[in-house]
Amino acid sequence: MQLTVNFSAVILLAVALFCVGLYGALARKSAIGILMSLEMMSMAVTINLITLGRFVSPHPLDSWFFTVFLMVISAAEVGLGLALTIALYRRSHTSEVDEVDELKG
Protein backbone atom coordinates (compact mmCIF):
# COMPACT_ATOMS: atom_id res chain seq x y z
CA MET A 1 0.00 0.00 0.00
CA GLN A 2 1.46 3.32 -1.07
CA LEU A 3 0.42 6.57 0.50
CA THR A 4 -0.30 9.38 -1.93
CA VAL A 5 -0.43 12.96 -0.80
CA ASN A 6 -2.30 15.70 -2.62
CA PHE A 7 -0.32 18.82 -3.56
CA SER A 8 -3.01 21.22 -2.40
CA ALA A 9 -3.40 19.45 0.95
CA VAL A 10 0.29 19.85 1.78
CA ILE A 11 0.29 23.49 0.67
CA LEU A 12 -2.81 24.09 2.78
CA LEU A 13 -1.07 22.50 5.77
CA ALA A 14 1.96 24.76 5.28
CA VAL A 15 -0.24 27.86 4.94
CA ALA A 16 -2.14 26.96 8.11
CA LEU A 17 1.14 26.36 9.98
CA PHE A 18 2.50 29.70 8.76
CA CYS A 19 -0.67 31.54 9.80
CA VAL A 20 -0.60 30.00 13.28
CA GLY A 21 3.06 30.98 13.60
CA LEU A 22 2.35 34.52 12.40
CA TYR A 23 -0.48 34.90 14.89
CA GLY A 24 1.76 33.56 17.66
CA ALA A 25 4.58 35.97 16.74
CA LEU A 26 2.22 38.94 16.79
CA ALA A 27 0.17 37.98 19.86
CA ARG A 28 2.85 36.66 22.24
CA LYS A 29 4.50 38.79 24.86
CA SER A 30 7.25 36.37 25.84
CA ALA A 31 10.46 36.40 23.81
CA ILE A 32 10.61 32.59 23.94
CA GLY A 33 7.06 32.33 22.56
CA ILE A 34 7.93 34.70 19.75
CA LEU A 35 11.00 32.64 18.89
CA MET A 36 8.93 29.44 18.82
CA SER A 37 6.42 31.10 16.52
CA LEU A 38 9.20 32.23 14.18
CA GLU A 39 10.48 28.66 14.07
CA MET A 40 6.99 27.46 13.21
CA MET A 41 6.88 29.91 10.31
CA SER A 42 10.30 28.73 9.18
CA MET A 43 9.16 25.09 9.19
CA ALA A 44 6.12 26.05 7.10
CA VAL A 45 8.48 27.51 4.49
CA THR A 46 10.55 24.30 4.64
CA ILE A 47 7.42 22.22 4.01
CA ASN A 48 6.64 24.42 1.02
CA LEU A 49 10.13 23.97 -0.40
CA ILE A 50 10.01 20.20 -0.05
CA THR A 51 6.53 20.08 -1.59
CA LEU A 52 7.48 22.25 -4.53
CA GLY A 53 10.56 20.15 -5.10
CA ARG A 54 8.51 16.96 -5.03
CA PHE A 55 5.68 18.09 -7.31
CA VAL A 56 7.02 20.92 -9.46
CA SER A 57 10.80 20.82 -9.86
CA PRO A 58 12.22 18.56 -12.59
CA HIS A 59 15.33 17.87 -10.51
CA PRO A 60 14.58 16.73 -6.93
CA LEU A 61 17.84 17.99 -5.42
CA ASP A 62 16.96 21.63 -6.12
CA SER A 63 14.49 21.89 -3.25
CA TRP A 64 16.64 19.80 -0.89
CA PHE A 65 19.53 22.21 -1.30
CA PHE A 66 17.37 25.18 -0.34
CA THR A 67 15.73 23.20 2.47
CA VAL A 68 19.07 22.30 4.07
CA PHE A 69 20.18 25.91 3.68
CA LEU A 70 16.97 27.08 5.37
CA MET A 71 17.48 24.64 8.24
CA VAL A 72 21.00 25.98 8.78
CA ILE A 73 19.59 29.51 8.84
CA SER A 74 16.91 28.40 11.33
CA ALA A 75 19.52 26.86 13.62
CA ALA A 76 21.51 30.09 13.55
CA GLU A 77 18.31 32.05 14.23
CA VAL A 78 17.57 29.93 17.29
CA GLY A 79 21.10 30.33 18.63
CA LEU A 80 21.09 34.08 18.14
CA GLY A 81 17.54 34.47 19.45
CA LEU A 82 18.27 32.54 22.62
CA ALA A 83 21.46 34.52 23.18
CA LEU A 84 19.51 37.77 22.82
CA THR A 85 16.78 36.49 25.15
CA ILE A 86 19.34 35.55 27.80
CA ALA A 87 21.00 38.97 27.47
CA LEU A 88 17.58 40.64 27.72
CA TYR A 89 16.75 38.67 30.84
CA ARG A 90 20.08 39.48 32.48
CA ARG A 91 19.63 43.21 31.91
CA SER A 92 15.95 43.64 32.74
CA HIS A 93 15.11 40.45 34.75
CA THR A 94 12.17 39.69 32.47
CA SER A 95 11.60 38.00 29.14
CA GLU A 96 8.41 39.92 28.37
CA VAL A 97 9.02 42.14 25.36
CA ASP A 98 6.31 44.62 26.39
CA GLU A 99 8.06 45.45 29.65
CA VAL A 100 11.43 46.20 28.11
CA ASP A 101 11.77 49.85 27.14
CA GLU A 102 15.54 50.17 26.75
CA LEU A 103 15.38 50.20 22.95
CA LYS A 104 12.61 52.79 22.71
CA GLY A 105 13.74 56.15 21.44
Side-chain angles (χ1 to χ4, degrees):
M1 182 173 131
Q2 183 172 348
L3 179 67
T4 58
V5 179
N6 192 5
F7 176 75
S8 60
V10 178
I11 295 295
L12 186 63
L13 171 72
V15 166
L17 190 63
F18 190 84
C19 289
V20 169
L22 182 65
Y23 174 74
L26 295 176
R28 302 267 179 185
K29 293 182 179 181
S30 171
I32 300 293
I34 292 171
L35 284 174
M36 289 189 315
S37 298
L38 289 174
E39 270 305 305
M40 192 180 299
M41 291 167 55
S42 175
M43 288 302 117
V45 171
T46 304
I47 290 172
N48 273 335
L49 283 174
I50 292 173
T51 304
L52 291 175
R54 167 82 167 90
F55 290 104
V56 177
S57 177
H59 196 271
L61 289 180
D62 294 341
S63 66
W64 286 104
F65 172 73
F66 290 118
T67 302
V68 169
F69 182 72
L70 185 65
M71 286 183 173
V72 169
I73 297 293
S74 294
E77 170 198 353
V78 167
L80 184 64
L82 286 176
L84 287 173
T85 303
I86 290 171
L88 175 74
Y89 183 78
R90 285 182 180 172
R91 282 186 71 93
S92 62
H93 300 292
T94 184
S95 67
E96 303 290 323
V97 293
D98 289 345
E99 296 177 11
V100 178
D101 59 353
E102 292 177 1
L103 298 178
K104 292 182 182 177

